[in-house]
């Protein structure tokens, strides 16, 4: 079966699912199982762990609590946890013998209305993800983020990684 004819399945993994090496290995096994079942997985991840964990969103925000700043910079900071998770999981998948590539929201083609901290997805251009799938690569997408019409990174608010997974599912006809 060619990679272009495999059904796409979007698999979303939350913070505790990617917080430890053991948890990431379990996720990799789930992705391998989806591949073996004939699916083309697209993985969406949240930031690792919960508040207090080094890369959790609330922990990252704690770094600037009480300091002057702006909403654009807060979004830049908050997006880091998901990017770290995507990179770590892509490495884990490659270690398990699966070709994988991490994507941030912009690279995944996720466009937003530009509202910092609580952006709405307005469009998805899935070409880069479809190209990865066609080449046999598993895309690992940093959830919770997209890009404004002006090119700024924006975050989708609480539950944004779940929103990312749902929107990608529709755009990819998963």
């Amino acid at each position: 079966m060619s990679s272009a004819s495999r059904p796409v399945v979007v698999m979303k993994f939350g913070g505790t699912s990617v917080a430890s090496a053991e948890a990431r290995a379990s996720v990799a096994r789930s992705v391998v199982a989806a591949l073996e079942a004939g699916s083309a997985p697209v993985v969406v991840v949240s930031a690792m762990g919960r508040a207090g964990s080094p890369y959790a969103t609330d922990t990252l925000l704690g770094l600037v609590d009480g300091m002057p700043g702006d909403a654009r910079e807060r979004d830049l900071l908050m997006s880091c946890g998901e990017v770290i998770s995507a990179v770590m999981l892509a490495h884990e998948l490659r270690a398990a013998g699966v070709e994988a590539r991490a994507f941030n929201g912009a690279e995944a083609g996720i466009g937003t209305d530009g509202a910092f901290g609580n952006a709405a997805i307005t469009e998805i251009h899935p070409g880069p993800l479809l190209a990865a799938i066609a080449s046999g690569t598993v895309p690992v997408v940093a959830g919770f983020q997209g890009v404004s019409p002006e090119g700024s990174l924006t975050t989708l608010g609480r539950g944004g990684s779940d929103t990312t997974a749902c929107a990608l599912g529709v755009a990819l006809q998963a």
Side-chain angles (χ1 to χ4, degrees):
M1 182 181 291
S2 76
S3 58
S5 65
R6 295 181 295 148
V8 173
V9 60
V10 176
M11 305 173 77
K12 192 274 182 179
F13 295 95
T16 57
S17 298
V18 293
S20 69
E22 297 81 20
R24 289 187 298 277
S26 178
V27 169
R29 287 190 297 274
S30 295
V31 172
V32 167
L35 288 165
E36 289 173 348
S39 296
V42 174
V43 179
V44 177
V45 293
S46 297
M48 292 181 185
R50 301 207 183 282
S53 299
Y55 308 114
T57 302
D58 289 332
T59 303
L60 294 170
L61 283 174
L63 296 171
V64 295
D65 275 351
M67 300 175 82
D70 65 25
R72 185 191 67 78
E73 289 177 354
R74 285 179 61 88
D75 272 12
L76 283 172
L77 180 62
M78 285 193 293
S79 72
C80 293
E82 282 76 14
V83 171
I84 292 167
S85 291
V87 169
M88 292 298 297
L89 187 57
H91 278 268
E92 185 71 36
L93 287 167
R94 285 191 295 275
V98 174
E99 187 58 37
R101 178 177 172 222
F103 288 79
N104 65 31
E107 292 171 330
I110 301 170
T112 73
D113 62 5
F116 295 111
N118 197 27
I121 295 174
T122 56
E123 60 189 358
I124 296 182
H125 299 283
L129 299 178
L130 292 170
I133 292 166
S135 74
T137 299
V138 173
V140 182
V141 180
F144 180 63
Q145 60 187 256
V147 63
S148 74
E150 297 78 32
S152 293
L153 184 142
T154 52
T155 62
L156 306 178
R158 292 297 177 181
S161 292
D162 294 338
T163 302
T164 301
C166 291
L168 287 176
V170 171
L172 295 167
Q173 300 177 356

